[in-house]
Amino acid sequence: MAPLSVHGTLGAVFLGFAFACGVYGILLSQMFSYFRNYPGDKTLFKLLVVAILLLETADQFFIGHLVYYYSISNYANPIELKRATMTWSFILQLTAGAVVGAIVKAYFGFRVWRFSDRNIFITGLVMLLTFSQLGLALAFTIEAFGLPSVFAVHQLQTLGTISLGFGVITDIITAGALCFFLNRLRTGLKSSDSLVSSLTSYAINTGVLTSTVSMATLILYNVMPENNLYFVATYFILSKLYAISFMATLNTRRAIRGRGTDHQGVTSNNTNMFHLGTRMPSMGPNDLNQWDKVDPPHFNAQDFPPISHYNPNARS
């Protein structure tokens, strides 16, 4: 075993916390933009956004508690650092991140279901991997409460590796399925094909980002010595990247519709481009309804004062 290093333990945790704070700030700005720009959005989306906000805020609190425990409560205490006592916040942070990841992956899995004309096989595979990973993460949580130290998480290496591996596979399959089914929507029209290309590029970039960080966490967890926490630094930001990809999907709907696809005209074969609320002619099945359509906020007539009409014949 390599000698214990403050850089590979407290230093790794501190760097992960710093990056997590920055990514959390980006997530908050996206959520603020969402509630400002989509006040009439579906209740389901609003509830999901609030749930993710609460989970990520708790996640950030757990990370902060871990940093405070080792850098403030046990300042200049190398014995405690070497002992690496397992804290409840460290375990719950892993759990909160897994729950956020499952929510976002399930959402993207539902996108696959819509774009694939409700292909139950590929969608079922994505959902199976998503909830299998969540189950493994919960099992990891239960087992972790019985560990004597943070370094002892390597005793659960098999369970953790399978869980992280499922996450990487899920991201790759989801991105690949979206690219495949999106390309089937091409019509030869420049405007519609341009939108399909944009959505395909977005699906690839999102999948590459999250799968790369997941793979980095997986490699660090298995390759680096047991008395280090480098893998924790990358895991701290992973769930926030999933949350950002979810919020970016919601926030780009209006911008995409502004690219000449905004007119929900009288064309008889219109289909909803699912996560963008965009209608495009002749691009798929007709029964996708108006899922994800953004409705304007509702106002009552009594909310506004009566308007007095000006009479030019009236004399003062």
Side-chain angles (χ1 to χ4, degrees):
M1 180 181 294
L4 185 67
S5 169
V6 69
H7 301 290
T9 53
L10 186 58
V13 171
F14 179 78
L15 287 177
F17 179 54
F19 282 113
C21 286
V23 180
Y24 179 68
I26 296 173
L27 177 62
L28 289 181
S29 67
Q30 287 200 343
M31 289 182 171
F32 175 80
S33 297
Y34 168 76
F35 284 110
R36 182 185 60 185
N37 296 327
Y38 297 93
D41 209 357
K42 289 185 175 296
T43 304
L44 174 62
F45 284 159
K46 292 181 179 180
L47 292 176
L48 285 176
V49 171
V50 172
I52 291 176
L53 173 61
L54 294 177
L55 285 169
E56 285 302 332
T57 301
D59 180 273
Q60 198 67 11
F61 169 78
F62 295 147
I63 300 174
H65 176 270
L66 179 65
V67 174
Y68 188 91
Y69 177 81
Y70 282 107
S71 61
I72 304 299
S73 299
N74 290 281
Y75 174 74
N77 186 0
I79 297 178
E80 180 62 24
L81 182 62
K82 185 177 181 179
R83 186 184 298 118
T85 303
M86 178 66 75
T87 64
W88 56 269
S89 55
F90 178 76
I91 301 173
L92 293 182
Q93 189 278 325
L94 300 176
T95 307
V99 173
V100 171
I103 291 174
V104 176
K105 289 173 186 175
Y107 168 75
F108 283 113
F110 197 58
R111 283 177 57 195
V112 172
W113 184 68
R114 288 289 187 172
F115 277 129
S116 64
D117 193 15
R118 299 172 181 176
N119 187 314
I120 193 173
F121 297 104
I122 186 64
T123 306
L125 178 60
V126 172
M127 292 299 185
L128 177 63
L129 290 171
T130 295
F131 291 105
S132 295
Q133 183 188 14
L134 178 60
L136 290 170
L138 295 178
F140 190 98
T141 299
I142 296 173
E143 294 293 331
F145 275 109
L147 297 177
S149 71
V150 174
F151 300 139
V153 294
H154 289 277
Q155 297 177 12
L156 305 176
Q157 198 164 41
T158 301
L159 186 60
T161 299
I162 296 175
S163 178
L164 290 171
F166 274 19
V168 175
I169 295 173
T170 305
D171 291 341
I172 294 174
I173 292 178
T174 301
L178 285 174
C179 291
F180 175 77
F181 291 113
L182 280 169
N183 276 300
R184 293 178 59 183
L185 298 179
R186 294 184 182 276
T187 62
L189 298 176
K190 184 177 180 181
S191 59
S192 61
D193 287 357
S194 175
L195 177 58
V196 169
S197 297
S198 177
L199 295 177
T200 302
S201 176
Y202 174 77
I204 293 174
N205 293 335
T206 301
V208 167
L209 178 62
T210 53
S211 61
T212 298
V213 177
S214 295
M215 181 63 73
T217 306
L218 179 62
I219 293 174
L220 291 173
Y221 183 51
N222 285 274
V223 174
M224 300 302 293
E226 293 184 1
N227 58 351
N228 81 88
L229 298 175
Y230 288 116
F231 72 94
V232 172
T234 55
Y235 189 84
F236 279 170
I237 65 172
L238 181 58
S239 66
K240 293 173 178 58
L241 293 179
Y242 279 116
I244 286 176
S245 67
F246 173 74
M247 293 308 306
T249 301
L250 298 182
N251 285 330
T252 53
R253 289 173 295 174
R254 183 168 295 165
I256 295 294
R257 286 207 311 273
R259 299 178 56 187
T261 63
D262 190 4
H263 304 289
Q264 301 182 21
V266 295
T267 307
S268 60
N269 188 20
N270 286 339
T271 185
N272 188 301
M273 291 298 287
F274 180 56
H275 72 293
L276 297 173
T278 304
R279 288 186 170 270
M280 298 182 63
S282 305
M283 293 193 65
N286 295 318
D287 59 337
L288 297 187
N289 301 318
Q290 297 189 19
W291 207 97
D292 208 19
K293 177 183 176 185
V294 180
D295 298 316
H298 176 72
F299 297 101
N300 297 318
Q302 56 269 27
D303 295 336
F304 300 92
I307 302 176
S308 59
H309 298 281
Y310 171 70
N311 186 354
N313 297 324
R315 294 182 179 180
S316 57

